[in-house]
Every structure is written in C-alpha cells, then in structure tokens.
Amino acid sequence: MESSAVIRALGALAQEHRLAVFRLLVQAGDGGLAAGVLAEKLDVPPSSMSFHLAQLANAGLVTQRRESRSIIYSANYAAMNRLMGYL
C-alpha cells in the first residue's frame, strides 16, 4: 500500500462521525447499511452523512451499491486489511 493511500485513509478516519460510520459498517458485515440508516443511528443530518460517506469512499474504505431506491454502503475489508498490514 502506498503511503499516499495510507494518509488518505487515516485522514478520512480522523473524524468522529466518519470513524463511527466505518465502525458501524464493519459491524454490519457484507450486507452493509443504507445511508439513511447510518444517519439515523448516528443522529447526523442526511446531507452531512452524504459528505462523510463520500470522504470514506474517496479514501477507498467503503463501497456502495444501489438497491432499488437506496444506496447501500459496506466496509471495504480488503482496504481495511491492507491499511492494518501497513501499520
């Protein structure tokens, strides 16, 4: 893993809401969670949640897929394992 990717990932996790989101997604497993569910669980406005999820996705820590009208987010376990291996 390149150091620039590590810095991007750690930077994305260095914020309270993003760290909480990532932890919830890890706990949710491969099924993931919808953005609205994440916002509700963390009591974060949907627009703020979208911003945080975009930051995590940009860092490669989460993936997204569409299921009907919802976007489901999941932790990217491979990226998480690479990050942990680097550390």
Side-chain angles (χ1 to χ4, degrees), residues 48-70:
S48 294
M49 183 56 63
S50 294
F51 172 77
H52 293 308
L53 288 165
Q55 295 298 310
L56 290 168
N58 184 49
L61 294 171
V62 300
T63 59
Q64 60 186 7
R65 68 182 184 280
R66 181 168 291 283
E67 285 186 8
S68 111
R69 294 181 2 181
S70 297

Side-chain angles (χ1 to χ4, degrees), residues 2-14 55-61:
E2 293 183 21
S3 61
S4 61
V6 171
I7 292 167
R8 194 169 43 254
L10 292 175
L13 293 172
Q55 295 298 310
L56 290 168
N58 184 49
L61 294 171

Side-chain angles (χ1 to χ4, degrees), residues 34-53:
V37 172
L38 290 165
E40 186 177 305
K41 283 183 178 268
L42 296 175
D43 195 28
V44 173
S47 60
S48 294
M49 183 56 63
S50 294
F51 172 77
H52 293 308
L53 288 165

